[in-house]
Amino acid sequence: MREDPGAGMLSWDETVFRDEHVFEIDHVPETFNHRESQLRSLKYALRPAVRGSRPLNTMVRGPPGTGKTTAVQKLFGELGTQSGVRTVRVNCQVDSTRYAVFSRVFEHIFEYEPPSSGISFKKLFGQITDRLVEDDEVLAVALDDVNYLFYENEATDTLGSLLRAHEAQSGARIGVIIISSDLSLDVIDELDGRVQSVFRPEEVFFPRYDVDEIVDILRGRTKRGFHEDVIGAPELDQVAEFTADSGDLRVGIDLLRRAGLHAEMRASRTVDMEDVEAAYDKSKYVHLSRCLQGLSDPERELVRVVAEYDGERAGAVYEAFNEETGLGYTRYSELVNKLDQLGVIEARYTEIEGRGRTRSISLAYDADAVLDRL
C-alpha cells in the first residue's frame, strides 16, 4: 500500500477527483483511441450526408463495452455541426416500439415532444418527413441497442418506415445506423424480406479491447479524472485485469469511479488495492444494472419470481408469475425469451424420464445481486 502524498487525510472540502464526470458510463471522451478503422468505416458511411445525399445504412456490432455508442456519438457530434444535416440517436432500450422511436425523432427535429395521445403514427411520420423536405435536411438516425426492437417484434416495422420514407415523401433522405451488442442475434435474417431488400447495410465490427488497449484507455481517464498521484500503476493494472476478465470497458470506467469514492470514504488521498477490490464487487454488475434499468414492470416481476423459483421448471415459474400479474402464458413465454436473450436469465431445455423435454429457468447472476438492483 502506497503512502498518502502530503500530510494527513482528506479534509471535508477536498476530493481525489479532478473531474468525476470523466468516469460516467455515457461520457464521450475528447480522445478516442484504438478504434481508428471503425471510425474510418463509419465516416465513409456518413460522408454522403455532408453532400446532401442519403447516408449509407450501417450495421454496427460488437460485445458490450467496446466503444460502439461512443464512436457514433463522436461522429454525430461532428456531423451535427454541418448545415443541412440532422442526427438523432435513439436508445431502443428505452424507446422499444416504432411509435416511441419516431416520437424521439420528432422531439429532436421539432425540439418539443409530440402529444402523448391522439396523434396517429401516420400523422407523426408525415410531420417528420414534411419538415425534413421543407428544411432540405438529411437525417441520420442511430438505433442504439436495436436488439430491443427485435425482442419486442418492432424491428421490421421501425426499419421499414425509416428506409422507405422516400417512397412516402418524395425528397426525404434518411440513413440508418443500427447498433447491436447481441452477437447471437442475426439481424438481417430476423427482418422481413421486404426490409432486407432495402437495408443491405455496411458492416462495422467492434472487437473486445485487449489488455494493453484497456490500460491505455483507463490511464487516459485517470489523468483527466483524478488528481495527480491518486492512483498508482499496480492499482491501475488490477483495474485493467478486472476489466479484461469482464470484456466490458464500462466495468473498468465504473470501477475507477467507485474506487475513488471508496478512497474518499476512508478520507484517503490515494486509491489503494482495497478500494479497487471493494469497488469491483459492485462494478462487475454494470451490464446487469443497465439491463434491469430498462425492464418493464411485468419483466421485473418475472425476474423476481425466477429468483424465488431459481432452477424450477418453466411451468412452476409461470404459475407463480400468473398469480402475481394475471398475464397469460403467451406473454410469459415472450418475456422469458427476451430475458434469456438479454442474458439476465437462462432458459434451458432438458430431458426428464417419463416427461420428455421440459424447460428449466434460472438466473444468470447471483440472486442477491439481481434483487438488490431491481
Side-chain angles (χ1 to χ4, degrees):
M1 188 179 295
R2 292 172 294 114
E3 295 290 333
D4 280 357
M9 313 273 270
L10 278 178
S11 61
W12 285 105
D13 60 349
E14 289 182 306
T15 176
V16 298
F17 295 103
R18 189 194 309 273
D19 181 0
E20 192 174 345
H21 295 297
V22 166
F23 301 117
E24 297 292 342
I25 296 297
D26 56 359
H27 172 74
V28 179
E30 292 181 17
T31 57
F32 186 53
N33 298 325
H34 311 296
R35 287 295 180 253
E36 289 78 12
S37 66
Q38 288 82 2
L39 285 172
R40 281 197 298 272
S41 297
L42 285 169
K43 281 184 178 179
Y44 166 76
L46 291 168
R47 185 169 283 116
V50 180
R51 302 191 296 267
S53 299
R54 189 168 52 186
L56 301 177
N57 299 317
T58 307
M59 177 168 60
V60 176
R61 297 175 68 247
T66 50
K68 302 181 296 297
T69 298
T70 301
V72 171
Q73 285 179 307
K74 282 194 74 68
L75 293 182
F76 270 20
E78 296 173 11
L79 197 59
T81 64
Q82 303 289 321
S83 61
V85 181
R86 191 175 288 270
T87 61
V88 180
R89 171 183 161 265
V90 180
N91 179 356
C92 297
Q93 185 177 6
V94 176
D95 300 310
S96 57
T97 66
R98 179 176 69 165
Y99 194 92
V101 167
F102 277 85
S103 293
R104 191 68 64 189
V105 173
F106 181 101
E107 182 182 348
H108 278 265
I109 290 176
F110 289 91
E111 298 182 350
Y112 62 86
E113 294 183 8
S116 57
S117 62
I119 179 171
S120 68
F121 172 78
K122 184 176 181 181
K123 184 174 182 181
L124 183 74
F125 176 76
Q127 289 180 338
I128 290 170
T129 54
D130 285 349
R131 173 60 70 89
L132 290 172
V133 172
E134 180 183 321
D135 292 348
D136 194 24
E137 287 188 323
V138 177
L139 174 65
V141 178
L143 301 177
D144 202 354
D145 280 328
V146 73
N147 32 298
Y148 283 87
L149 292 181
F150 285 91
Y151 303 155
E152 299 295 339
N153 297 315
E154 293 277 346
T156 286
D157 286 345
T158 304
L159 281 168
S161 296
L162 287 168
L163 296 169
R164 295 186 180 277
H166 62 284
E167 297 177 5
Q169 172 61 274
S170 178
R173 291 157 292 165
I174 301 176
V176 181
I177 296 175
I178 63 171
I179 306 171
S180 175
S181 296
D182 185 349
L183 298 183
S184 67
L185 177 68
D186 189 331
V187 170
I188 303 300
D189 193 52
E190 290 293 329
L191 291 170
D192 181 274
R194 292 167 299 172
V195 177
Q196 288 182 13
S197 66
V198 294
F199 189 30
R200 303 187 182 282
E202 303 291 312
E203 294 190 29
V204 184
F205 185 76
F206 283 66
R208 295 189 192 278
Y209 292 107
D210 64 34
V211 175
D212 290 339
E213 291 171 339
I214 290 170
V215 170
D216 183 55
I217 293 168
L218 295 182
R219 184 182 292 117
R221 293 286 178 113
T222 60
K223 286 180 178 178
R224 290 187 293 275
F226 285 134
H227 289 299
E228 192 173 355
D229 295 328
V230 164
I231 188 168
E235 289 76 18
L236 185 59
D237 287 344
Q238 183 61 69
V239 173
E241 185 178 324
F242 282 142
T243 306
D245 288 345
S246 72
D248 188 337
L249 185 67
R250 296 173 302 184
V251 169
I253 294 169
D254 186 71
L255 204 166
L256 287 171
R257 177 176 173 270
R258 290 183 183 276
L261 293 172
H262 194 271
E264 288 191 339
M265 185 180 68
R266 298 188 299 109
S268 173
R269 296 177 184 275
T270 60
V271 170
D272 293 320
M273 205 63 80
E274 66 179 275
D275 302 311
V276 172
E277 291 169 353
Y280 182 60
D281 283 339
K282 291 185 172 65
S283 294
K284 64 184 177 182
Y285 294 117
V286 162
H287 181 66
L288 171 65
S289 297
R290 290 176 73 84
C291 285
L292 295 179
Q293 284 172 9
L295 298 184
S296 65
D297 289 341
E299 290 162 353
R300 297 168 78 87
E301 188 57 47
L302 178 55
V303 172
R304 288 192 187 92
V305 171
V306 173
E308 183 179 349
Y309 290 81
D310 199 23
E312 293 283 340
R313 294 196 304 274
V317 176
Y318 166 67
E319 289 175 6
F321 176 72
N322 172 258
E323 189 174 325
E324 291 290 335
T325 65
L327 294 175
Y329 192 84
T330 299
R331 185 56 180 155
Y332 160 76
S333 184
E334 291 172 350
L335 298 183
V336 167
N337 290 335
K338 176 180 176 179
L339 293 173
D340 188 24
Q341 289 171 313
L342 284 174
V344 175
I345 67 173
E346 295 177 346
R348 295 173 177 165
Y349 285 97
T350 55
E351 293 284 344
I352 296 181
E353 190 174 349
R355 290 177 176 266
R357 292 183 79 212
T358 186
R359 188 158 67 161
S360 64
I361 300 176
S362 58
L363 291 175
Y365 294 87
D366 175 75
D368 289 339
V370 172
L371 293 173
D372 286 347
R373 287 161 177 79
L374 274 176

